[in-house]
Amino acid sequence: MNQDLALNLRLLCSYYRSIAEVCRRLEINRPQFNRYLSGRYRPSASTLRRFGDFFGVEVDELLLPHAEFRQLIQVQPRQLAPSADMKDKISAHLDILGAVGSQGMERYLGYYYEYYLSMSVPGKVLRNLVCIERQGDQYVFQRTERMPGPKGGDPTYHNRYQGLAWLLTDRLFLVDYETLNRHEMTQTILFLSFRKRLARLTGLKLGVSDNSERMPCCARVVYEYLGQEIQVHRALSRCGLFLPSAATIDPWILEAVQNTMSEQEVHFRARHE
């Protein structure tokens, strides 16, 4: 089992420039990490959880036989690192967006439940947990999906998306990517709330279905504000797939995420609360 874990860790490290970078970002001693990579030592349970959180995988996935783990994350060929000049240009664009897109963002920091009709499981509503926060000069967010296993039943794995948020004029723009397989990006555009108490945000979400079809889809979405401090594990336990008749979801939200169009509409449009 230690050898499979070592191979799995090495595979995950291959997505980074070097093992030294992984150690630096994990804030772990390089010689100690090398012992785990060699298979001679097994990390403690708390260290395994730390590795899982960093790489975006579950602990039980880290312990899978290497052949299964390799198939699970669908390894893609590594791309060449961008040149320093290109990185500077990208950074300049992000700096511009950060400067113009940060005013008013503080009001929208915190945790949300995200609701929309699942793109991969037609007919069901997906409830995810989203956290928007400030890191330095950037506003970032993480989206966590809690999905059922291939045979249904209790949720057994998470998909994690990370991205950047900007408030441009009177709309909130969220752009993210799936952090493990790196095979999907999504964009969400939300109306702002001008009510005294922040409760819900509505808008549209664009992405692809998380199945073999990988169909580009657009769906109405609702963000339900939970607050800036919550019990994260409890909130995650309430995430997952639900029938449209689910009694645990506000009827207003169930109605708001329906993707219907009137005969007069020529574009698929968001609906303001």
Side-chain angles (χ1 to χ4, degrees):
M1 183 178 291
N2 288 354
Q3 194 60 38
D4 282 319
L5 173 61
L7 291 171
N8 295 343
L9 287 174
R10 284 185 175 277
L11 180 58
L12 291 169
C13 288
S14 71
Y15 284 100
Y16 295 83
R17 291 177 180 270
S18 65
I19 293 175
E21 180 189 357
V22 172
C23 292
R24 184 171 61 253
R25 294 177 63 176
L26 271 170
E27 298 181 354
I28 191 172
N29 181 276
R30 174 68 181 271
Q32 181 66 36
F33 193 61
N34 283 343
R35 295 188 185 100
Y36 301 144
L37 294 180
S38 70
R40 288 181 293 163
Y41 293 87
R42 178 188 174 92
S44 66
S46 61
T47 301
L48 281 173
R49 286 195 298 271
R50 184 177 166 195
F51 290 167
D53 289 341
F54 175 76
F55 289 115
V57 298
E58 300 298 320
V59 170
D60 58 348
E61 293 172 343
L62 276 174
L63 301 176
L64 287 172
H66 183 61
E68 292 183 32
F69 184 78
R70 189 180 183 90
Q71 184 177 11
L72 173 71
I73 67 171
Q74 299 176 10
V75 180
Q76 302 294 330
R78 296 184 64 185
Q79 302 296 319
L80 294 175
S83 66
D85 182 59
M86 180 59 70
K87 289 176 65 177
D88 288 342
K89 290 180 179 178
I90 294 173
S91 179
H93 284 300
L94 291 176
D95 288 343
I96 293 172
L97 275 176
V100 301
S102 61
Q103 190 171 11
M105 275 295 301
E106 293 292 325
R107 168 173 165 80
Y108 297 95
L109 301 186
Y111 290 87
Y112 299 80
Y113 277 140
E114 175 192 53
Y115 300 88
Y116 62 94
L117 289 179
S118 173
M119 299 175 184
S120 56
V121 186
K124 288 195 174 182
V125 178
L126 190 59
R127 176 197 274 158
N128 302 322
L129 184 64
V130 178
C131 177
I132 304 176
E133 59 184 344
R134 181 173 183 171
Q135 290 185 4
D137 295 331
Q138 299 283 355
Y139 289 90
V140 302
F141 70 99
Q142 175 170 295
R143 223 168 29 91
T144 305
E145 294 179 349
R146 189 169 183 258
M147 301 295 289
K151 294 183 180 180
D154 294 333
T156 56
Y157 70 94
H158 293 164
N159 289 328
R160 290 187 178 89
Y161 298 76
Q162 293 182 333
L164 296 171
W166 299 277
L167 198 163
L168 302 175
T169 309
D170 55 359
R171 299 289 183 266
L172 182 58
F173 293 81
L174 306 171
V175 180
D176 64 22
Y177 77 103
E178 198 278 316
T179 59
L180 179 58
N181 298 321
R182 299 172 174 87
H183 62 189
E184 180 188 3
M185 295 182 66
T186 75
Q187 180 178 3
T188 302
I189 304 175
L190 300 170
F191 292 105
L192 301 186
S193 173
F194 298 101
R195 296 183 178 182
K196 184 176 181 180
R197 179 178 176 273
L198 182 60
R200 290 188 287 247
L201 306 174
T202 60
L204 290 180
K205 182 179 198 67
L206 180 66
V208 300
S209 59
D210 186 19
N211 53 29
S212 59
E213 187 181 29
R214 292 184 54 75
M215 177 63 66
C217 301
C218 186
R220 292 193 178 97
V221 64
V222 173
Y223 272 45
E224 181 183 25
Y225 185 63
L226 304 178
Q228 295 200 3
E229 294 186 9
I230 65 169
Q231 295 181 357
V232 175
H233 289 291
R234 182 178 179 182
L236 276 174
S237 70
R238 300 185 65 230
C239 293
L241 286 166
F242 300 85
L243 291 171
S245 58
T248 56
I249 300 179
D250 186 318
W252 185 94
I253 293 175
L254 292 172
E255 176 62 27
V257 298
Q258 297 304 308
N259 295 322
T260 55
M261 293 180 62
S262 69
E263 292 183 358
Q264 291 74 31
E265 290 178 316
V266 294
H267 300 104
F268 188 66
R269 297 166 58 90
R271 290 176 177 165
H272 206 323
E273 181 181 1

